[in-house]
Amino acid sequence: MRQPEQLASAISWPGPGIASAVPFLPGILTADQLIATGHAIAADQQADGSIGWPDGHVDAWNHVECAMALSVCGLRREARRAYAWLADAQQPDGSWPVQAASGGVVDEWTTESNHAAYCAVGVWHELLVTGDEDFAARMWPMVRAAIEFALGLQTPRGEIIWRRHEDGTPDSYALLAGSSSMFHSLRCAIALAERLAQPQPHWELAATMLGHAVACHGEAFADKSRFSMDWYYPVLGGPMRGTAAERLLKADWDTFVVPGLGVRCVSDEPWVTGAETCELAIALAAIGHRDQAMELFEQIQFLRAEDGSYWTGWQFVNGKHFPHEQSTWTAAAVVLAADVLATDVLAADGAANNDAANNSAANNGAAAGGAATGRTSTGAAGIFRDAAAGADVWQATDPAACGCPPAN
């Protein structure tokens, strides 16, 4: 398992425009096409730096996802404007309103733990892409406050309650997808803390408890099993690996995956969505199912619009886009999946080429490696696949070996 310092990859930026390392997947997406998708996201960025939903409201989770996609596409100035908005819009308790609007208007003051914690993923990602530790240091107070807000909603069993109401009282239950995402956020936060010499050992304990709850105690979470996110997020976020992850994804594959089209958003509607399909592709890559991941990613490209944006989904009975919108978070999911898959293919090709080099006298000592394939990536993709904080933080648990009695 690579340690944080091994995950870092400083990119030489030619200026405030396009980076020199933009991922691409031959036969699926070119680098220019991915850059066009980045520009489509940037076109929806508001003057204050916020990136919202098609209806105009902004939530911190999707905003961070878009900021990461901008960085992957080399749009550094736009990404930094997004992070500046995030820091400015944070509330004193470390949270963000669930629905904010450009210009500081707040439509709903409910705050979600998952939204808050995800800023750690974005800041760690930006550090890996750019190598800019000054930026990370400036963002550190924001990340620390956000993580503490989320952990203020953690129960003794380990799961994290999903939100606080407008009056500050916590809700009564946790969400499996949200807690899985927060496990990923905690790992990135721990890695960031270590890099900045600001260790937070209680975060490591919190991550251990949270990962264990996700992997081994489904009774801790509200039943949202009709949503595909609840199916694959324990793998995407990292708590489940190995045979447990294999069993989980196999169990509901036929429920959620529509052959040739992608992944349903919910099990009871004929509706596939781009973001869920790309996230499942990342989860599959995380457990080594590269071919399945690539197949899903290629299938969902039918949602691509001419300008590089992506339709949110497709109602395959009516044969219409549903909802009839092109969403920034869908485009962002495509970009991040492309980065992961480009890295995965590059690594696999590198291993294959090295094997061939070792077994062939005909190569005359020529260097063989993934770079020869022509594929590239930002070097930050591993945060969606590897343990961002290293193997010493938490090891995935097989539920069959847990041995804990179910909670009452």
Side-chain angles (χ1 to χ4, degrees):
M1 188 73 70
R2 292 177 293 173
Q3 297 298 310
E5 57 271 16
Q6 295 172 293
L7 286 168
S9 176
I11 288 178
S12 176
W13 293 85
I18 303 305
S20 59
V22 176
F24 63 96
L25 294 166
I28 302 177
L29 279 180
T30 67
D32 285 344
Q33 286 174 320
L34 210 66
I35 289 169
T37 298
H39 280 295
I41 296 170
D44 281 336
Q45 188 171 35
Q46 301 303 305
D48 62 1
S50 62
I51 306 171
W53 290 46
D55 66 5
H57 89 266
V58 186
D59 76 58
W61 199 100
N62 285 304
H63 173 86
V64 169
E65 190 92 336
C66 290
M68 289 192 286
L70 290 172
S71 286
V72 170
C73 294
L75 301 177
R76 185 178 187 182
R77 179 164 47 195
E78 291 83 350
R80 291 301 173 88
R81 289 178 57 224
Y83 286 111
W85 176 88
L86 196 68
D88 289 344
Q90 188 177 36
Q91 301 302 300
D93 67 354
S95 69
W96 285 267
V98 70
Q99 286 197 17
S102 182
V105 177
V106 175
D107 298 323
E108 183 181 344
W109 278 102
T110 301
T111 52
E112 295 188 14
S113 51
N114 180 34
H115 287 189
Y118 204 59
C119 73
V121 180
V123 173
W124 180 241
H125 181 272
E126 183 71 2
L127 175 58
L128 298 186
V129 172
T130 67
D132 187 348
E133 295 204 9
D134 288 340
F135 163 82
R138 292 195 305 272
M139 294 293 106
W140 168 247
M142 175 188 75
V143 172
R144 182 174 56 195
I147 294 297
E148 292 298 336
F149 168 81
L151 294 184
L153 289 165
Q154 189 168 34
T155 74
R157 181 170 46 192
E159 73 271 21
I160 297 179
I161 301 300
W162 78 291
R163 66 177 181 177
R164 286 191 184 276
H165 296 289
E166 293 189 27
D167 64 1
T169 59
D171 214 315
S172 59
Y173 60 92
L175 298 177
L176 180 59
S179 284
S180 299
S181 175
M182 282 184 280
F183 176 78
H184 177 50
S185 296
L186 275 169
R187 294 198 306 191
C188 292
I190 292 164
L192 181 66
E194 293 293 334
R195 175 67 66 84
L196 297 177
Q198 298 282 344
Q200 306 290 316
H202 66 293
W203 290 2
E204 299 185 22
L205 176 60
T208 299
M209 294 171 59
L210 178 60
H212 184 82
V214 170
C216 302
H217 291 285
E219 77 280 357
F221 304 97
D223 182 8
K224 302 289 182 181
S225 56
R226 67 185 287 262
F227 292 89
S228 61
M229 291 177 67
D230 259 36
W231 167 49
Y232 63 77
Y233 251 77
V235 181
L236 178 67
M240 298 187 74
R241 287 291 184 266
T243 57
E246 298 273 356
R247 288 195 301 267
L248 181 73
L249 293 186
K250 183 178 180 180
D252 283 325
W253 183 270
D254 293 336
T255 299
F256 290 110
V257 178
V258 181
L261 286 179
V263 177
R264 294 176 188 255
C265 179
V266 291
S267 61
D268 53 346
E269 294 289 345
W271 174 34
V272 295
T273 46
E276 277 79 357
T277 302
C278 289
E279 288 178 340
L280 177 58
I282 296 171
L284 288 164
I287 59 173
H289 289 258
R290 191 173 64 251
D291 292 342
Q292 282 182 307
M294 199 73 72
E295 183 178 1
L296 283 172
F297 183 76
E298 184 172 12
Q299 287 171 359
I300 208 61
Q301 297 307 314
F302 79 93
L303 293 178
R304 185 178 178 86
E306 289 185 3
D307 65 351
S309 62
Y310 280 81
W311 295 92
T312 298
W314 178 257
Q315 217 278 10
F316 54 84
V317 171
N318 295 336
K320 295 181 180 180
H321 291 117
F322 178 81
H324 194 76
E325 64 182 25
Q326 293 159 352
S327 50
T328 53
W329 74 81
T330 299
V334 171
V335 170
L336 296 176
D339 198 22
V340 169
L341 295 175
T343 303
D344 203 47
V345 170
L346 198 151
D349 285 356
N353 288 344
N354 282 327
D355 287 342
N358 291 333
N359 293 317
S360 173
N363 69 68
N364 295 319
T373 68
R375 302 175 181 92
T376 186
S377 77
T378 64
I383 71 165
F384 296 98
R385 185 179 51 203
D386 300 326
D392 58 331
V393 174
W394 193 78
Q395 293 291 328
T397 300
D398 188 334
C402 170
C404 294
N408 293 327

